[in-house]
Amino acid sequence: MIDILWAVQDKLGCIDGEAMSLIAEKTGTYRVEVEGVVSFYAFFSSVRKGKIVIRLCDDIVDRHAGVFAVAKSFENTLGIKLGETTPDHWFSLEYTPCIGMCDQAPAALVNDVVVTNLTPAKVKGIVRTLKKTRDPRALVTKTGDGNNGHRLIAAMVKNNIRHTGPVLFDKSPAEAGLKQALTLSPGGVLELVVDSRLRGRGGAGFPTGKKWRYAAAAQAALRYVICNADEGEPGTFKDRVLLTERAQLLIEGMTIAAYAVGAAEGILYLRAEYRYLKAYLEHILARRRSRGLLGDNIMGKAGFHFDIRIQMGAGAYICGEESSLISSCEGKRGEPKNRPPFPVQSGYLGLPTVVNNVETFCCVPPLIARGPKWFTSIGTPHSSGTKLLSVSGDCTRPGVYELPFGVSVQDVLDKAGAKDPAAVLIGGASGDMIGRPEFQRRICFEDLPTAGAITTFSSHRNVLEIANYYMDFFIDESCGYCTPCRVGNVFMKQGLEKIMQGLGEAGDLDYLRELGKTIIATSRCGLGHTSPNPILSSMKSFPLVYSALLNAHPNEFQAGFNIQSALDEARVIAKRRSLIYDVSYGDEE
Amino acid sequence: MRKKRVATVSLAGCFGCHMSLLDMDERILELLQDVEFDRSPLNDLKKFTRRCDLGIIEGGCCNEDNVHTLRDFRNNCDVLVAVGQCAIMGGLPVMRNAIMHSDDPLRECLEEAYCSSPRVYNPSNQIPNDPALPLLLDKVYTCVDVVKIDYQIPGCPPSGDVLWATLSALVRNEPIDLPYDMVKYD
Ligand SMILES: Cc1cc2nc3c(=O)[nH]c(=O)nc-3n(C[C@H](O)[C@H](O)[C@H](O)COP(=O)(O)O)c2cc1C
Ligand code: SF4
Ligand code: SF4
Ligand code: FES
């Protein structure tokens, strides 16, 4: 379904009512089903967009890098406002959350083409080129390093690999892991993965070996292996680099997983923002098929069949959550599913499914080739191996760093050349914001877990503004299924804004704490379990910033209520002033 | 011990909560042994004569006069109790807040109520606008939106029994016992 919708959106610039009816008819479903899916995803639109859609990342990192000036410049040169389409239906301009280019912000997507390091001055040239050529590809005059220069990618994106570690950038010969795995029984492979204590790199850190064992043990005729390349967490861009530079390794890892759990089919779920990598990844898959590394009897192993298809996402953070991702692969709205049953029991199409992050799969081949002993010798007791970190924000060397687990935040900041770091967000929007006294803490599952995002903020930045942006992000990205998350996040934001306006009182902090606790305890999925974090963790790490903004209101009136603004509308309608609240009448107040 | 002074008022409510207050029946005589009423529609006193211990509020705020009165209560009472759905959540009046996707929700509401609704007979097509009418607020606010509220007694209206149990415990400063039967709603 998602593939059909993409084709229609690309062709018509929209999926209008007529198209929806037709799709429903041809696929034997109801129009409302199709409409539900279309309205769910940010990259689908029921009203006609321009042939060229410019999506500017307005994440806080880009804001600090000057995206508003860039946006103004786009508005002026195109003659439209954000959210609008030019009358000739050539250009649309809009904001989008993080597109995974935080290390080269401000960045934008022009259809599938990524443009980075934008400035207001560059915008004029961009629009001129687009008007002349009508082809976003013409914007890429100089391609980035490594495979970004590959003819099937041809992107100006830079890898910014600042530090290579022993696992992901291991120098073992290609396919050594897969070769080794195929000499063992599937159970033998499972054992190695369990012994290595590999944990998921997508955020939750679930032991990978355990997950695979559950899936292998589930009774079913068919099993699935899915790679989560949705990378939606703001500030995370390490999977982008792995997909560009380590695609062979990733597919090798997925193939080993398939062998271990007995899966015959796999899916690579690629976020819409990374569509520029799709042709290249298809090419890698095709090459592996022709070399007997995918398809039937892989590497001559009789009876081991496995192949992978790529599923495009369509712009929804929640689709990174594994059960939403599965819904999305099934062509539905990307809403989470109730659990249990867990995906390993009943996932894609009700079949046992292993979902792992890109980096998790990439760890597997070297781990098999070199053995669990080697793997557990790196990192800490409960977090073996290395972590690929995406560092961005106020630093001189933003980019990806492969470092062993247990590295301290301060070490990372030093390596990245953080400028006067005062606050660091570990783990993106859903992570924790910490201050200077905590920079000695270590990055590992025992202390500060992260899916990879390290966002640094200098002492010039306002932590409340940062928290406020991320609340906006969660409000936009909440799937809306359950009330604590859909409504609670809005209340959290209102509470924060009240404090930011200087109208807050001590009780408001307790209110935010309580509300945050309720949202975490009662939400249905991981989004609601983490959405209050930006506020809660910044309250914990920066109590003085919050308390400095509080005021006491001794008369016990609510500071948040403003009688003057509440009366404005009525004054206009009645064409008179208030007998009570307009001072010139000589009354009180 | 001096008698507790109690004030009551109906803001944007229907007076149903005050009627329920009278549903305490003869127990009100018992209550009067410990309590004297100051400003209240029950005795038609329109201004506070002295500071009160307890203020009972029915209804939320839909116009400037409601706000003014509520703040007056906050200034003159030690403890404020919001009684009934209107005071706590806005009740029926708050339905006008559902007109939220309009640039001018108040005007839309008034036009619907006085002009455009098919059942309206209003040949002059005017919206009431006597200078003596208090100005409406942009939307309906609950009591706790406007001032701090110490206790809430839910219900539409709360039954005479609930009011009796809670208010008598409050004025006597005793812990409250609310049996399940009294607070279950069906
Ligand atoms: C709201 C939300 C967003 C998520 N986004 C991602 C994501 O972008 N990429 C990812 O790998 N995992 C993401 N996850 C975690 C997945 O649900 C899942 O735990 C992970 O893909 C499992 O793989 P792993 O064990 O290899 O980490 C997200 C979880 C939640 C709750
Ligand atoms: S917590 Fe939020 S994202 Fe998750 S199911 Fe509920 S509404 Fe949807
Ligand atoms: S709560 Fe019910 S009874 Fe009380 S004022 Fe409102 S509508 Fe009337
Ligand atoms: S691309 Fe803008 S913050 Fe990630």
Side-chain angles (χ1 to χ4, degrees), chain A residues 57 59 61-62 98-102 235:
Chain A
C57 167
D59 188 274
V61 171
D62 297 67
C98 179
I99 58 173
M101 302 291 155
C102 334

Side-chain angles (χ1 to χ4, degrees), chain A residues 353-369:
Chain A
T353 304
V354 163
V355 181
N356 277 122
N357 175 253
V358 174
E359 189 184 345
T360 316
F361 284 123
C362 286
C363 290
V364 172
L367 171 170
I368 301 282

Side-chain angles (χ1 to χ4, degrees), chain A residues 505 558 566 569 574 576 578, chain B residues 64 104 106 129 138 144 146 148:
Chain A
E505 302 161 61
Q558 298 287 17
E569 209 177 328
R576 60 193 164 91
S578 161
Chain B
E64 55 177 345
D104 203 346
L106 181 58
N129 189 12
D138 57 343
V144 78
V146 176
K148 275 176 215 150

Side-chain angles (χ1 to χ4, degrees), chain B residues 10-20 58-60 83-88 90-93 153-158:
Chain B
S10 171
L11 305 173
C14 74
F15 261 96
C17 289
H18 271 79
M19 292 300 133
S20 203
E58 163 191 322
V83 171
Q85 199 58 17
C86 296
I88 297 170
L92 272 188
I153 307 180
C156 178

Side-chain angles (χ1 to χ4, degrees), chain A residues 7 32 58 124 144 343 397 414 491 528:
Chain A
V32 62
D58 75 333
K124 291 203 180 64
R397 288 186 296 282
D414 291 343
F491 287 164

